[in-house]
Amino acid sequence: MALMWVKNIEKETKQNTTFRTALWTGKHSQLTVMSLKPGEDIGLEVHPEVDQFLRLERGTARVEVGPSRDVLSERYDVGEDWAFVVPAGTWHNVVNTGDTDLKLYTIYSPPNHPAETVHVTKGDAEAAERTG
């Protein structure tokens, strides 16, 4: 196993066809690429102990954030080359609002998924979360 992950992140992100693939997992952070179909979302979630950085490489999205599941008080329309940070404890969702696949990468700190996670579809991701 290589000591570092060194690749073209834009290329890796745009070529990804899975809902979620963990490209690299370290002790303090994790790099994951995602692809959302038109109208698909990540799913409303919160990470109590994890900060999350996200960057869109292709497509358009609506980002919804707030202090609780029932209070998503902020909404942003974002597109290619936009980035945003979701602090630990913040409820959030990303919805693909375009007519093509949304391509993004995210850095979790600390890691949020098991190393080498691959969820081909959103259904796979939801099933993995249910089984722990």
Side-chain angles (χ1 to χ4, degrees), residues 34 36 39-45 47 52-68 71-87 90-98 102-106:
M34 298 186 76
L36 281 67
E40 189 172 41
D41 67 347
I42 289 177
L44 184 59
E45 61 184 0
H47 309 297
Q52 187 175 6
F53 168 91
L54 301 98
R55 178 179 160 92
L56 278 60
E57 291 292 342
R58 179 179 294 150
T60 58
R62 182 179 63 250
V63 179
E64 305 166 330
V65 297
S68 69
V71 181
L72 299 177
S73 53
E74 298 178 31
R75 287 183 174 76
Y76 303 93
D77 292 318
V78 295
E80 294 176 11
D81 300 329
W82 281 71
F84 45 98
V85 177
V86 181
T90 302
W91 283 89
H92 60 283
N93 194 7
V94 177
V95 182
N96 182 349
T97 57
L102 178 67
K103 306 289 187 166
L104 63 97
Y105 68 88
T106 182

Side-chain angles (χ1 to χ4, degrees), residues 12 16 21 29-30 76 93 98 110:
E12 294 292 317
N16 174 51
T21 295
S29 62
Q30 179 175 59
Y76 303 93
N93 194 7

